Amino acid sequence: MIASLIRRDTLRGLRAAGLPVMFFLIAATLFPFAVGPDARVLTKAGGGMLWLAALLAALLPIERLVAPDIEAGVFDQFAARGIADEALAAAKIAAHWLSFGPTLMLAALPGAALLGLDESTLGKLEAGLAIGTPALAALGLTVAALTAGLRGGGALAGLVLLPLAIPLLIFGAGALDPDGAQALKLLASTALLLTFGAPFAAGAALRSHRD
């Protein structure tokens, strides 16, 4: 049943994946207009801007991650079968990442080309996104579970998630520097902590909606 939940949510997320990808590419396209055509400026700041765009793109699907299933009683049905809320949260995190993480990594290729990033910087960006996007998915699902059912839950979720994601943004952008190996290690440590801790926090939030 967990596998069916992952498959269902992944397919549902992929059907809506066009919006985050379009947002990501539009941000990459508009950035040169904001800072000017100077190639050195674009190369220096472009990687960090793509990280910021990835973070903001991860906000877009938050409202549909948990709230529709709570309203439909999906979690109640799983709970009646004895499936732990933490397992459901972990499954939904995996599905959320599968639906937006790889597509953002693919979108980073044309985004990097638009900003003139070299191959070395692109490689570090892709490595950072591969490490960091599971943590973004974990944060997104947890915040969605916490804010589900609240008035203006989508906007509130964004306000809650952005401060929590700041370490990922700092370390992800820092890893793009020539001496960014330490930042990449810090990114990996932070992402590991968030990814493995999120199912417990999200599971508790899901249980609270049944109390």
Side-chain angles (χ1 to χ4, degrees), residues 22-32 49-50 53 115:
M22 287 178 60
F23 176 89
F24 184 86
L25 292 176
I26 289 173
T29 302
L30 294 178
F31 186 67
M49 192 285 304
L50 289 178
L115 298 174

Side-chain angles (χ1 to χ4, degrees), residues 26-149:
I26 289 173
T29 302
L30 294 178
F31 186 67
F33 293 100
V35 302
D38 191 318
R40 290 176 298 178
V41 174
L42 292 176
T43 300
K44 184 176 181 179
M49 192 285 304
L50 289 178
W51 255 103
L52 179 59
L55 169 58
L56 295 176
L59 288 174
L60 297 178
I62 277 185
E63 273 192 294
R64 61 169 175 77
L65 292 180
V66 172
D69 284 341
I70 290 177
E71 294 173 1
V74 172
F75 295 115
D76 294 335
Q77 296 173 31
F78 278 108
R81 291 176 171 84
I83 299 176
D85 293 301
E86 289 78 8
L88 297 177
K92 290 185 77 67
I93 288 170
H96 181 34
W97 180 80
L98 288 171
S99 67
F100 93 94
T103 54
L104 277 186
M105 292 175 65
L106 288 174
L109 297 176
L114 288 169
L115 298 174
L117 301 186
D118 57 36
E119 292 183 4
S120 175
T121 304
L122 174 59
K124 294 176 183 177
L125 175 66
E126 292 286 7
L129 289 175
I131 295 170
T133 48
L136 286 178
L139 280 176
L141 191 282
T142 302
V143 171
L146 289 169
T147 59

Side-chain angles (χ1 to χ4, degrees), residues 172-186:
L176 302 176
D177 293 336
D179 55 347
Q182 188 64 30
L184 190 63
K185 293 178 182 178
L186 290 171

